[in-house]
Each structure stands twice: as C-alpha cells, then as structure tokens.
Amino acid sequence: MSSSPVSPLPNSVAPVSSTKPGKLVVFTGPSGVGKGTLLQQLLERHPEIHLSISATTRQPRPGEAEGQHYYFVGQDTFKQMVAAGQLLEWAEFAGNYYGTPSEPVYQQIEAGRWVVLEIELEGARQIQQTYPEALRIFILPPSLAELEKRLRARSQDSEAAIARRLQRARIEVAAADEFDIQIVNDSLDQALQQLEQALFDG
Ligand code: 5GP
C-alpha cells in the first residue's frame, strides 16, 4: 500500500467557510445503478464537495488507482483498522470488506466542507445510528432488469460476482424507503438535477 487510509489532507483542501459547519451526505444504491457516474458529474460541477475514499479488501479493477478510487488493503490491515476504531462504518459486500476511514471525514467536516460517502446499505444504516444528522440519499435503478443489463454491460465482474451483486441489489432496493431521499437514475441529467435540488435547495 503506497499511502495510508488515514493520510493527512491534501494541500489543496481549503475551508468553504470557517463559520458554517460541514455536512455529511450518504449516497447508497445497488451496484451498477450508476452512482459513480452521477457522483463524478456532481463533483465536476461542485469541486468544493469532498468524496471520501474508502478502504477495501477487493482487488483493484483495471484503471482503478490506489488512494484515488480506494485504499486497497489486505484482510489483516482491514481488521486492524476496525479494531483500532479507525472506520466510521464498515461492511462486507459480495465477499469483500469496505469501510470509511473516519479521520479525513471529521477533518473535512470541521473545515466546513461537505463530505460524500458512497457506501452500501449496511454502512448507511450504521451512519444513521452514529451520525443521524447526515443526509441519506438512495439511488434506484429504473428496474431490476435494467440493473442486470448495466452490470453485464460493465463486464468487469465474473458471473458469480454479478449474481452476488444482483442478489444484494434486491435487498438494497427493498430498503430504499429508509432513506431521506430516493432518486431514480433513468436519465443521468434528470437524476443529477434532482440530486442538486436535494443537496442545495433542501
Ligand atoms: P465496488 O466493489 O463496486 O466498488 O463497491 C461495491 C459496493 O461497496 C458499492 O455498493 C459501494 O457503494 C460499496 N462501498 C464502497 N465503499 C464503501 C465503504 O467504505 N463502506 C461501505 N459500507 N460500503 C462501501
């Protein structure tokens, strides 16, 4: 691992406001729903928002970079992070562990910035307990059939992994009502518009 999951803030981080508190936004939705693309667009339009980088035991996919998409760690390191209380939340997903390093999140929020977590359902439920003031947004696919199509089109995962992700997707979609806001990602532009409304007009 080339950098630590609890590494200090990059130099470019500047407080949005020294008086207003930051905000924690949780972004959840089944694998393949297009959360990543939606978030990428949001961050391009609002570069002041900080996206939390998770630690995971999953192998990097082609094109994924250490410290940019994830901190890729071994199981032992992940377990040590859990034991040391370094994760704000964590969960097992489709055979791998994923978790949010807490330190950078608190630092950013203290600096008055908005922080987005892109995490699965179990982690979002933990945040509801530990950080109830977080705004929790659920991204829905137009249908489960469409979701399966998108997962296959991505063709980054094995058949077995796709099957596990689809099974998990059914469970996640059934829990969408637990969230403050639900957005259907049918057209990317419309979903982005609804997301901006939820964040900035709320
Ligand atoms: P992927 O392997 O496709 O990158 O991510 C699988 C799932 O893990 C996605 O639903 C993603 O939102 C979720 N995930 C990514 N990072 C975290 C994390 O730090 N905590 C939790 N609970 N879920 C995460």
Side-chain angles (χ1 to χ4, degrees):
M1 190 170 76
S2 60
S3 54
S4 156
V6 287
S7 58
L9 295 179
N11 293 334
S12 59
V13 171
V16 172
S17 152
S18 55
T19 50
K20 273 195 188 163
K23 186 161 167 172
L24 187 60
V25 181
V26 174
F27 215 64
T28 301
S31 181
V33 76
K35 288 175 302 213
T37 312
L38 196 53
L39 266 184
Q40 207 181 324
Q41 300 263 327
L42 180 78
L43 297 177
E44 265 171 34
R45 289 161 64 104
H46 306 278
E48 72 280 8
I49 297 177
H50 173 81
L51 177 65
S52 163
I53 309 295
S54 300
T56 184
T57 60
R58 161 164 88 57
Q59 292 297 311
R61 293 188 182 123
E64 285 185 334
E66 165 69 20
Q68 192 184 332
H69 295 90
Y70 281 107
Y71 297 105
F72 296 98
V73 301
Q75 293 234 4
D76 288 348
T77 304
F78 194 93
K79 283 179 186 161
Q80 280 163 19
M81 292 169 77
V82 172
Q86 291 176 348
L87 300 179
L88 191 59
E89 59 71 39
W90 66 275
E92 197 203 332
F93 182 94
N96 291 298
Y97 293 109
Y98 297 80
T100 303
S102 45
E103 192 70 22
V105 172
Y106 287 133
Q107 284 179 346
Q108 295 284 344
I109 287 180
E110 267 168 35
R113 295 174 73 93
W114 288 22
V115 179
V116 173
L117 309 185
E118 197 239 283
I119 61 177
E120 53 66 68
L121 179 62
E122 291 308 324
R125 283 178 172 155
Q126 289 169 41
I127 296 288
Q128 188 180 20
Q129 299 300 318
T130 56
Y131 208 108
E133 56 275 45
L135 177 67
R136 296 181 319 129
I137 300 175
F138 195 92
I139 310 298
L140 283 157
S143 67
L144 282 172
E146 174 62 25
L147 185 72
E148 181 167 358
K149 216 165 87 186
R150 289 183 194 176
L151 273 174
R152 287 188 191 286
R154 189 162 79 173
S155 63
Q156 288 167 328
D157 300 304
S158 66
E159 242 341 277
I162 291 174
R164 279 201 301 268
R165 280 163 191 267
L166 273 173
Q167 191 187 5
R168 183 75 170 232
R170 288 190 193 95
I171 296 170
E172 296 212 333
V173 165
D177 284 354
E178 292 176 25
F179 286 70
D180 301 310
I181 292 161
Q182 296 79 25
I183 294 173
V184 178
N185 189 13
D186 194 353
S187 127
L188 182 63
D189 283 351
Q190 275 178 21
L192 186 61
Q193 206 181 339
Q194 286 176 30
L195 181 59
E196 286 184 324
Q197 262 169 17
L199 290 175
F200 306 114
D201 302 343

